PDB file of all heavy atoms in Angstrom:
ATOM      1  N   TYR A 138     -35.228  67.319 -11.080  1.00 85.00           N
ATOM      2  CA  TYR A 138     -35.302  68.712 -11.629  1.00 85.00           C
ATOM      3  C   TYR A 138     -36.778  69.042 -11.670  1.00 85.00           C
ATOM      4  O   TYR A 138     -37.533  68.302 -12.157  1.00 85.00           O
ATOM      5  CB  TYR A 138     -34.619  68.818 -13.087  1.00 85.00           C
ATOM      6  CG  TYR A 138     -34.824  70.127 -13.621  1.00 85.00           C
ATOM      7  CD1 TYR A 138     -34.020  71.197 -13.345  1.00 85.00           C
ATOM      8  CD2 TYR A 138     -35.967  70.379 -14.523  1.00 85.00           C
ATOM      9  CE1 TYR A 138     -34.136  72.482 -13.974  1.00 85.00           C
ATOM     10  CE2 TYR A 138     -36.162  71.606 -15.061  1.00 85.00           C
ATOM     11  CZ  TYR A 138     -35.144  72.665 -14.812  1.00 85.00           C
ATOM     12  OH  TYR A 138     -35.321  73.897 -15.358  1.00 85.00           O
ATOM     13  N   LYS A 139     -36.922  70.224 -11.273  1.00 83.00           N
ATOM     14  CA  LYS A 139     -38.375  70.901 -11.267  1.00 83.00           C
ATOM     15  C   LYS A 139     -38.359  72.262 -11.770  1.00 83.00           C
ATOM     16  O   LYS A 139     -37.461  73.136 -11.455  1.00 83.00           O
ATOM     17  CB  LYS A 139     -38.919  70.855  -9.910  1.00 83.00           C
ATOM     18  CG  LYS A 139     -40.373  71.078  -9.863  1.00 83.00           C
ATOM     19  CD  LYS A 139     -41.041  71.039  -8.532  1.00 83.00           C
ATOM     20  CE  LYS A 139     -42.588  71.201  -8.484  1.00 83.00           C
ATOM     21  NZ  LYS A 139     -43.139  70.989  -7.163  1.00 83.00           N
ATOM     22  N   SER A 140     -39.310  72.556 -12.745  1.00 77.00           N
ATOM     23  CA  SER A 140     -39.261  73.898 -13.396  1.00 77.00           C
ATOM     24  C   SER A 140     -39.518  74.924 -12.313  1.00 77.00           C
ATOM     25  O   SER A 140     -40.300  74.772 -11.365  1.00 77.00           O
ATOM     26  CB  SER A 140     -40.510  73.898 -14.395  1.00 77.00           C
ATOM     27  OG  SER A 140     -40.550  75.212 -14.844  1.00 77.00           O
ATOM     28  N   PRO A 141     -38.652  76.059 -12.390  1.00 71.00           N
ATOM     29  CA  PRO A 141     -38.805  77.135 -11.469  1.00 71.00           C
ATOM     30  C   PRO A 141     -40.186  77.879 -11.612  1.00 71.00           C
ATOM     31  O   PRO A 141     -40.460  78.683 -10.726  1.00 71.00           O
ATOM     32  CB  PRO A 141     -37.585  78.021 -11.785  1.00 71.00           C
ATOM     33  CG  PRO A 141     -37.217  77.738 -13.171  1.00 71.00           C
ATOM     34  CD  PRO A 141     -37.621  76.357 -13.449  1.00 71.00           C
ATOM     35  N   ALA A 142     -40.854  77.747 -12.786  1.00 60.00           N
ATOM     36  CA  ALA A 142     -42.070  78.435 -12.898  1.00 60.00           C
ATOM     37  C   ALA A 142     -43.061  78.008 -12.010  1.00 60.00           C
ATOM     38  O   ALA A 142     -43.299  76.796 -11.766  1.00 60.00           O
ATOM     39  CB  ALA A 142     -42.598  78.188 -14.440  1.00 60.00           C
ATOM     40  N   PRO A 143     -43.815  78.807 -11.447  1.00 54.00           N
ATOM     41  CA  PRO A 143     -44.918  78.421 -10.331  1.00 54.00           C
ATOM     42  C   PRO A 143     -45.971  77.619 -11.022  1.00 54.00           C
ATOM     43  O   PRO A 143     -46.510  78.039 -12.053  1.00 54.00           O
ATOM     44  CB  PRO A 143     -45.359  79.771  -9.769  1.00 54.00           C
ATOM     45  CG  PRO A 143     -45.020  80.774 -10.859  1.00 54.00           C
ATOM     46  CD  PRO A 143     -43.845  80.315 -11.592  1.00 54.00           C
ATOM     47  N   ASN A 144     -46.301  76.456 -10.529  1.00 55.00           N
ATOM     48  CA  ASN A 144     -47.391  75.676 -10.978  1.00 55.00           C
ATOM     49  C   ASN A 144     -48.336  75.438  -9.861  1.00 55.00           C
ATOM     50  O   ASN A 144     -47.990  75.264  -8.801  1.00 55.00           O
ATOM     51  CB  ASN A 144     -46.840  74.334 -11.474  1.00 55.00           C
ATOM     52  CG  ASN A 144     -46.031  74.454 -12.740  1.00 55.00           C
ATOM     53  OD1 ASN A 144     -46.227  75.297 -13.551  1.00 55.00           O
ATOM     54  ND2 ASN A 144     -44.941  73.687 -12.896  1.00 55.00           N
ATOM     55  N   PRO A 145     -49.663  75.408 -10.162  1.00 53.00           N
ATOM     56  CA  PRO A 145     -50.582  75.188  -9.128  1.00 53.00           C
ATOM     57  C   PRO A 145     -50.463  73.703  -8.592  1.00 53.00           C
ATOM     58  O   PRO A 145     -50.045  72.834  -9.384  1.00 53.00           O
ATOM     59  CB  PRO A 145     -51.934  75.367  -9.774  1.00 53.00           C
ATOM     60  CG  PRO A 145     -51.689  75.184 -11.245  1.00 53.00           C
ATOM     61  CD  PRO A 145     -50.260  75.811 -11.561  1.00 53.00           C
ATOM     62  N   GLN A 146     -50.674  73.462  -7.359  1.00 55.00           N
ATOM     63  CA  GLN A 146     -50.599  72.132  -6.905  1.00 55.00           C
ATOM     64  C   GLN A 146     -51.584  71.180  -7.531  1.00 55.00           C
ATOM     65  O   GLN A 146     -52.797  71.496  -7.511  1.00 55.00           O
ATOM     66  CB  GLN A 146     -50.790  72.175  -5.307  1.00 55.00           C
ATOM     67  CG  GLN A 146     -50.524  70.872  -4.607  1.00 55.00           C
ATOM     68  CD  GLN A 146     -49.064  70.416  -4.654  1.00 55.00           C
ATOM     69  OE1 GLN A 146     -48.306  71.292  -4.768  1.00 55.00           O
ATOM     70  NE2 GLN A 146     -48.933  69.205  -4.609  1.00 55.00           N
ATOM     71  N   ASP A 147     -51.145  70.110  -8.088  1.00 55.00           N
ATOM     72  CA  ASP A 147     -52.000  69.128  -8.764  1.00 55.00           C
ATOM     73  C   ASP A 147     -52.619  68.194  -7.760  1.00 55.00           C
ATOM     74  O   ASP A 147     -51.917  67.533  -6.998  1.00 55.00           O
ATOM     75  CB  ASP A 147     -50.975  68.360  -9.715  1.00 55.00           C
ATOM     76  CG  ASP A 147     -51.978  67.396 -10.676  1.00 55.00           C
ATOM     77  OD1 ASP A 147     -53.182  67.376 -10.480  1.00 55.00           O
ATOM     78  OD2 ASP A 147     -51.361  66.818 -11.484  1.00 55.00           O
ATOM     79  N   PRO A 148     -53.841  68.128  -7.593  1.00 54.00           N
ATOM     80  CA  PRO A 148     -54.458  67.203  -6.617  1.00 54.00           C
ATOM     81  C   PRO A 148     -54.214  65.835  -6.949  1.00 54.00           C
ATOM     82  O   PRO A 148     -54.281  65.085  -5.988  1.00 54.00           O
ATOM     83  CB  PRO A 148     -56.009  67.551  -6.792  1.00 54.00           C
ATOM     84  CG  PRO A 148     -56.125  68.151  -8.093  1.00 54.00           C
ATOM     85  CD  PRO A 148     -54.869  69.022  -8.424  1.00 54.00           C
ATOM     86  N   ARG A 149     -53.915  65.447  -8.204  1.00 57.00           N
ATOM     87  CA  ARG A 149     -53.697  64.039  -8.532  1.00 57.00           C
ATOM     88  C   ARG A 149     -52.197  63.778  -8.590  1.00 57.00           C
ATOM     89  O   ARG A 149     -51.709  62.927  -9.240  1.00 57.00           O
ATOM     90  CB  ARG A 149     -54.284  63.782  -9.938  1.00 57.00           C
ATOM     91  CG  ARG A 149     -55.752  63.944  -9.976  1.00 57.00           C
ATOM     92  CD  ARG A 149     -56.440  63.389 -11.250  1.00 57.00           C
ATOM     93  NE  ARG A 149     -56.110  62.007 -11.411  1.00 57.00           N
ATOM     94  CZ  ARG A 149     -55.253  61.405 -12.190  1.00 57.00           C
ATOM     95  NH1 ARG A 149     -54.433  62.194 -12.936  1.00 57.00           N
ATOM     96  NH2 ARG A 149     -55.217  60.110 -12.251  1.00 57.00           N
ATOM     97  N   ARG A 150     -51.380  64.628  -7.965  1.00 62.00           N
ATOM     98  CA  ARG A 150     -49.944  64.562  -8.037  1.00 62.00           C
ATOM     99  C   ARG A 150     -49.507  63.170  -7.601  1.00 62.00           C
ATOM    100  O   ARG A 150     -48.629  62.524  -8.271  1.00 62.00           O
ATOM    101  CB  ARG A 150     -49.278  65.589  -7.206  1.00 62.00           C
ATOM    102  CG  ARG A 150     -47.698  65.577  -7.326  1.00 62.00           C
ATOM    103  CD  ARG A 150     -47.073  66.698  -6.401  1.00 62.00           C
ATOM    104  NE  ARG A 150     -45.655  66.600  -6.526  1.00 62.00           N
ATOM    105  CZ  ARG A 150     -44.883  66.934  -7.533  1.00 62.00           C
ATOM    106  NH1 ARG A 150     -45.442  67.335  -8.491  1.00 62.00           N
ATOM    107  NH2 ARG A 150     -43.580  66.807  -7.458  1.00 62.00           N
ATOM    108  N   ASN A 151     -49.961  62.576  -6.501  1.00 66.00           N
ATOM    109  CA  ASN A 151     -49.538  61.336  -6.007  1.00 66.00           C
ATOM    110  C   ASN A 151     -49.905  60.190  -7.051  1.00 66.00           C
ATOM    111  O   ASN A 151     -49.096  59.284  -7.216  1.00 66.00           O
ATOM    112  CB  ASN A 151     -50.095  61.031  -4.578  1.00 66.00           C
ATOM    113  CG  ASN A 151     -49.519  62.009  -3.570  1.00 66.00           C
ATOM    114  OD1 ASN A 151     -48.456  62.547  -3.713  1.00 66.00           O
ATOM    115  ND2 ASN A 151     -50.409  62.257  -2.516  1.00 66.00           N
ATOM    116  N   ALA A 152     -51.053  60.325  -7.563  1.00 69.00           N
ATOM    117  CA  ALA A 152     -51.468  59.289  -8.584  1.00 69.00           C
ATOM    118  C   ALA A 152     -50.631  59.326  -9.752  1.00 69.00           C
ATOM    119  O   ALA A 152     -50.257  58.293 -10.257  1.00 69.00           O
ATOM    120  CB  ALA A 152     -52.982  59.503  -8.883  1.00 69.00           C
ATOM    121  N   VAL A 153     -50.244  60.707 -10.195  1.00 70.00           N
ATOM    122  CA  VAL A 153     -49.423  60.730 -11.300  1.00 70.00           C
ATOM    123  C   VAL A 153     -48.003  60.166 -11.038  1.00 70.00           C
ATOM    124  O   VAL A 153     -47.423  59.635 -11.993  1.00 70.00           O
ATOM    125  CB  VAL A 153     -49.296  62.184 -11.743  1.00 70.00           C
ATOM    126  CG1 VAL A 153     -48.261  62.492 -12.838  1.00 70.00           C
ATOM    127  CG2 VAL A 153     -50.739  62.790 -12.175  1.00 70.00           C
ATOM    128  N   TRP A 154     -47.607  60.440  -9.874  1.00 74.00           N
ATOM    129  CA  TRP A 154     -46.203  59.875  -9.465  1.00 74.00           C
ATOM    130  C   TRP A 154     -46.237  58.421  -9.486  1.00 74.00           C
ATOM    131  O   TRP A 154     -45.352  57.846 -10.037  1.00 74.00           O
ATOM    132  CB  TRP A 154     -45.884  60.398  -8.198  1.00 74.00           C
ATOM    133  CG  TRP A 154     -44.614  59.849  -7.529  1.00 74.00           C
ATOM    134  CD1 TRP A 154     -44.540  58.867  -6.628  1.00 74.00           C
ATOM    135  CD2 TRP A 154     -43.319  60.254  -7.881  1.00 74.00           C
ATOM    136  NE1 TRP A 154     -43.164  58.524  -6.369  1.00 74.00           N
ATOM    137  CE2 TRP A 154     -42.433  59.377  -7.154  1.00 74.00           C
ATOM    138  CE3 TRP A 154     -42.768  61.088  -8.778  1.00 74.00           C
ATOM    139  CZ2 TRP A 154     -41.015  59.462  -7.307  1.00 74.00           C
ATOM    140  CZ3 TRP A 154     -41.322  61.252  -8.811  1.00 74.00           C
ATOM    141  CH2 TRP A 154     -40.482  60.371  -7.998  1.00 74.00           C
ATOM    142  N   ARG A 155     -47.324  57.712  -8.991  1.00 79.00           N
ATOM    143  CA  ARG A 155     -47.289  56.310  -8.989  1.00 79.00           C
ATOM    144  C   ARG A 155     -47.440  55.804 -10.476  1.00 79.00           C
ATOM    145  O   ARG A 155     -46.698  54.764 -10.813  1.00 79.00           O
ATOM    146  CB  ARG A 155     -48.566  55.849  -8.222  1.00 79.00           C
ATOM    147  CG  ARG A 155     -48.368  56.042  -6.763  1.00 79.00           C
ATOM    148  CD  ARG A 155     -49.440  55.182  -5.959  1.00 79.00           C
ATOM    149  NE  ARG A 155     -50.762  55.759  -6.186  1.00 79.00           N
ATOM    150  CZ  ARG A 155     -51.357  56.750  -5.595  1.00 79.00           C
ATOM    151  NH1 ARG A 155     -50.664  57.256  -4.433  1.00 79.00           N
ATOM    152  NH2 ARG A 155     -52.557  57.175  -5.800  1.00 79.00           N
ATOM    153  N   GLU A 156     -48.208  56.385 -11.295  1.00 81.00           N
ATOM    154  CA  GLU A 156     -48.186  55.997 -12.656  1.00 81.00           C
ATOM    155  C   GLU A 156     -46.886  56.175 -13.387  1.00 81.00           C
ATOM    156  O   GLU A 156     -46.419  55.307 -14.156  1.00 81.00           O
ATOM    157  CB  GLU A 156     -49.291  56.800 -13.397  1.00 81.00           C
ATOM    158  CG  GLU A 156     -50.683  56.570 -13.043  1.00 81.00           C
ATOM    159  CD  GLU A 156     -51.692  57.537 -13.557  1.00 81.00           C
ATOM    160  OE1 GLU A 156     -51.212  58.273 -14.541  1.00 81.00           O
ATOM    161  OE2 GLU A 156     -52.877  57.371 -13.333  1.00 81.00           O
ATOM    162  N   GLY A 157     -46.181  57.296 -13.008  1.00 83.00           N
ATOM    163  CA  GLY A 157     -44.790  57.467 -13.674  1.00 83.00           C
ATOM    164  C   GLY A 157     -43.749  56.399 -13.168  1.00 83.00           C
ATOM    165  O   GLY A 157     -42.996  55.837 -13.956  1.00 83.00           O
ATOM    166  N   VAL A 158     -43.815  56.020 -11.900  1.00 84.00           N
ATOM    167  CA  VAL A 158     -43.065  54.922 -11.331  1.00 84.00           C
ATOM    168  C   VAL A 158     -43.272  53.621 -12.070  1.00 84.00           C
ATOM    169  O   VAL A 158     -42.430  52.935 -12.483  1.00 84.00           O
ATOM    170  CB  VAL A 158     -43.077  54.772  -9.792  1.00 84.00           C
ATOM    171  CG1 VAL A 158     -42.414  53.584  -9.363  1.00 84.00           C
ATOM    172  CG2 VAL A 158     -42.626  56.061  -9.166  1.00 84.00           C
ATOM    173  N   ARG A 159     -44.596  53.306 -12.315  1.00 86.00           N
ATOM    174  CA  ARG A 159     -44.941  52.104 -13.025  1.00 86.00           C
ATOM    175  C   ARG A 159     -44.429  51.980 -14.419  1.00 86.00           C
ATOM    176  O   ARG A 159     -43.974  51.096 -14.947  1.00 86.00           O
ATOM    177  CB  ARG A 159     -46.469  51.783 -12.986  1.00 86.00           C
ATOM    178  CG  ARG A 159     -46.894  51.339 -11.579  1.00 86.00           C
ATOM    179  CD  ARG A 159     -48.352  50.801 -11.719  1.00 86.00           C
ATOM    180  NE  ARG A 159     -49.324  51.893 -12.074  1.00 86.00           N
ATOM    181  CZ  ARG A 159     -49.990  52.608 -11.163  1.00 86.00           C
ATOM    182  NH1 ARG A 159     -49.912  52.338  -9.820  1.00 86.00           N
ATOM    183  NH2 ARG A 159     -50.848  53.453 -11.596  1.00 86.00           N
ATOM    184  N   LEU A 160     -44.557  53.224 -15.021  1.00 87.00           N
ATOM    185  CA  LEU A 160     -44.070  53.519 -16.329  1.00 87.00           C
ATOM    186  C   LEU A 160     -42.462  53.172 -16.469  1.00 87.00           C
ATOM    187  O   LEU A 160     -41.936  52.601 -17.435  1.00 87.00           O
ATOM    188  CB  LEU A 160     -44.473  54.860 -16.889  1.00 87.00           C
ATOM    189  CG  LEU A 160     -44.455  55.106 -18.417  1.00 87.00           C
ATOM    190  CD1 LEU A 160     -45.504  54.204 -19.124  1.00 87.00           C
ATOM    191  CD2 LEU A 160     -44.590  56.586 -18.815  1.00 87.00           C
ATOM    192  N   CYS A 161     -41.867  53.735 -15.387  1.00 88.00           N
ATOM    193  CA  CYS A 161     -40.376  53.526 -15.454  1.00 88.00           C
ATOM    194  C   CYS A 161     -40.020  52.018 -15.226  1.00 88.00           C
ATOM    195  O   CYS A 161     -39.096  51.510 -15.871  1.00 88.00           O
ATOM    196  CB  CYS A 161     -39.817  54.276 -14.166  1.00 88.00           C
ATOM    197  SG  CYS A 161     -39.812  56.162 -14.467  1.00 88.00           S
ATOM    198  N   GLN A 162     -40.865  51.352 -14.322  1.00 86.00           N
ATOM    199  CA  GLN A 162     -40.520  49.982 -14.299  1.00 86.00           C
ATOM    200  C   GLN A 162     -40.739  49.152 -15.497  1.00 86.00           C
ATOM    201  O   GLN A 162     -40.024  48.288 -15.744  1.00 86.00           O
ATOM    202  CB  GLN A 162     -41.477  49.323 -13.057  1.00 86.00           C
ATOM    203  CG  GLN A 162     -41.078  49.934 -11.665  1.00 86.00           C
ATOM    204  CD  GLN A 162     -42.054  49.505 -10.589  1.00 86.00           C
ATOM    205  OE1 GLN A 162     -43.290  49.088 -10.932  1.00 86.00           O
ATOM    206  NE2 GLN A 162     -41.648  49.626  -9.314  1.00 86.00           N
ATOM    207  N   HIS A 163     -41.775  49.568 -16.185  1.00 87.00           N
ATOM    208  CA  HIS A 163     -42.022  48.854 -17.517  1.00 87.00           C
ATOM    209  C   HIS A 163     -40.971  49.193 -18.509  1.00 87.00           C
ATOM    210  O   HIS A 163     -40.449  48.269 -19.214  1.00 87.00           O
ATOM    211  CB  HIS A 163     -43.343  49.380 -18.062  1.00 87.00           C
ATOM    212  CG  HIS A 163     -43.829  48.595 -19.201  1.00 87.00           C
ATOM    213  ND1 HIS A 163     -44.925  48.913 -20.068  1.00 87.00           N
ATOM    214  CD2 HIS A 163     -43.430  47.327 -19.764  1.00 87.00           C
ATOM    215  CE1 HIS A 163     -45.138  47.975 -21.000  1.00 87.00           C
ATOM    216  NE2 HIS A 163     -44.225  47.039 -20.761  1.00 87.00           N
ATOM    217  N   ALA A 164     -40.358  50.483 -18.435  1.00 87.00           N
ATOM    218  CA  ALA A 164     -39.363  50.774 -19.527  1.00 87.00           C
ATOM    219  C   ALA A 164     -38.061  50.120 -19.016  1.00 87.00           C
ATOM    220  O   ALA A 164     -37.275  49.598 -19.890  1.00 87.00           O
ATOM    221  CB  ALA A 164     -39.188  52.356 -19.413  1.00 87.00           C
ATOM    222  N   ALA A 165     -37.765  49.942 -17.751  1.00 86.00           N
ATOM    223  CA  ALA A 165     -36.495  49.257 -17.292  1.00 86.00           C
ATOM    224  C   ALA A 165     -36.604  47.671 -17.676  1.00 86.00           C
ATOM    225  O   ALA A 165     -35.575  47.154 -17.980  1.00 86.00           O
ATOM    226  CB  ALA A 165     -36.406  49.448 -15.768  1.00 86.00           C
ATOM    227  N   SER A 166     -37.752  47.158 -17.676  1.00 86.00           N
ATOM    228  CA  SER A 166     -37.828  45.692 -17.925  1.00 86.00           C
ATOM    229  C   SER A 166     -37.727  45.399 -19.333  1.00 86.00           C
ATOM    230  O   SER A 166     -37.310  44.375 -19.700  1.00 86.00           O
ATOM    231  CB  SER A 166     -39.204  45.187 -17.285  1.00 86.00           C
ATOM    232  OG  SER A 166     -40.295  45.709 -17.840  1.00 86.00           O
ATOM    233  N   THR A 167     -38.324  46.311 -20.130  1.00 88.00           N
ATOM    234  CA  THR A 167     -38.334  46.116 -21.605  1.00 88.00           C
ATOM    235  C   THR A 167     -37.146  46.732 -22.305  1.00 88.00           C
ATOM    236  O   THR A 167     -36.815  46.278 -23.393  1.00 88.00           O
ATOM    237  CB  THR A 167     -39.674  46.596 -22.213  1.00 88.00           C
ATOM    238  OG1 THR A 167     -39.778  48.033 -21.993  1.00 88.00           O
ATOM    239  CG2 THR A 167     -40.865  45.864 -21.515  1.00 88.00           C
TER     240      THR A 167
END
Side-chain angles (χ1 to χ4, degrees):
Y138 173 84
K139 191 173 182 180
S140 173
N144 292 324
Q146 186 66 27
D147 188 355
R149 298 189 65 256
R150 179 176 179 79
N151 292 334
V153 171
W154 173 260
R155 288 193 295 270
E156 292 176 1
V158 171
R159 285 195 294 269
L160 199 65
C161 289
Q162 292 173 342
H163 194 194
S166 61
T167 61

